[in-house]
Amino acid sequence: MGTESDETARPHFVVQIHDARRMHFDFRLEVDGVLKSWAVPRGPSENPSDRRLAVPTEDHPLEYREFEGVIPRGESGSGTVIVWDQGTYRPLGHDGQGGSVPFAESLGLGHATFWLYGKKLHGEFALTRIRKGDEPDSGGHEAWLLIKANDRLAVRGRPGSPDPYHARSARTGRTLHQVAAAARGDAG
């Protein structure tokens, strides 16, 4: 019973596959009442040797973590979306002296570690800012890396990223193609 209450008390995360102008994964963490979001072009990896570019995007409302469907043409982010993974996470922030640092503060400082309890992703991950948007050569774009820790749950010796075209939703079991077909009213 203690585990269940721990799970409901932990903040949520979601990874959505988004077949927009460019196929990418949206990695979202619940922080201070919103979903902090990063576009991860090649998707999260469970292999610690894979360092995945993560580009911050706008915050999303918490309800968006369950969104699966088609965003109509002409709207921002138009394209098909599935929930590839979902679950909760536990912040692992510390100040180097044994004290705890609030997760939002860790993100603000440019490095946050957390433990994912997902249907597909498990274990320790880190988000580390590698470029601030206000740096002269940044072009106004901030960049982060999403990296799996070398823990007992890490994948080694094979790619740790999903194939977005064959991936199935953690919520409904459907593929991107099936969600798009359903939105068009196709039978398949």
Side-chain angles (χ1 to χ4, degrees):
M1 263 195 169
T3 305
E4 190 174 313
S5 65
D6 289 346
E7 248 180 67
T8 57
R10 285 193 298 252
H12 292 87
F13 83 93
V14 66
V15 180
Q16 293 163 311
I17 299 177
H18 191 172
D19 189 7
R21 188 169 35 96
R22 288 197 176 117
M23 176 76 73
H24 66 278
F25 291 71
D26 288 309
F27 184 80
R28 307 184 197 282
L29 297 169
E30 179 182 344
V31 180
D32 294 340
V34 298
L35 292 173
K36 293 287 185 191
S37 302
W38 292 262
V40 183
R42 294 178 57 207
S45 177
E46 292 184 289
N47 188 329
S49 63
D50 294 338
R51 283 150 170 56
R52 296 296 191 225
L53 176 65
V55 179
T57 62
E58 69 278 356
D59 293 348
H60 283 62
L62 294 178
E63 302 77 47
Y64 200 77
R65 75 173 193 253
E66 296 182 357
F67 177 75
E68 191 165 276
V70 177
I71 301 170
R73 282 202 171 142
E75 288 189 26
S76 176
S78 65
T80 307
V81 177
I82 64 169
V83 173
W84 178 72
D85 195 16
Q86 62 186 1
T88 61
Y89 75 95
R90 180 172 44 94
L92 300 175
H94 51 85
D95 62 10
Q97 300 167 349
S100 179
V101 174
F103 194 68
E105 187 176 324
S106 293
L107 285 172
L109 293 171
H111 181 75
T113 57
F114 44 93
W115 191 277
L116 295 180
Y117 300 91
K119 292 189 176 193
K120 299 175 184 178
L121 296 174
H122 309 278
E124 184 178 337
F125 286 79
L127 275 165
T128 302
R129 186 172 44 229
I130 57 172
R131 183 178 64 219
K132 289 185 175 183
D134 59 1
E135 294 172 345
D137 293 337
S138 72
H141 301 288
E142 191 173 298
W144 294 64
L145 290 177
L146 176 63
I147 304 169
K148 173 74 175 102
N150 194 12
D151 60 23
R152 62 183 170 77
L153 299 171
V155 167
R156 292 168 191 83
R158 66 176 173 85
S161 296
D163 174 352
Y165 294 102
H166 295 98
R168 293 196 172 271
S169 165
R171 293 190 73 233
T172 63
R174 298 184 304 170
T175 64
L176 284 165
H177 175 76
Q178 290 169 326
V179 169
R184 288 190 307 267
D186 296 353

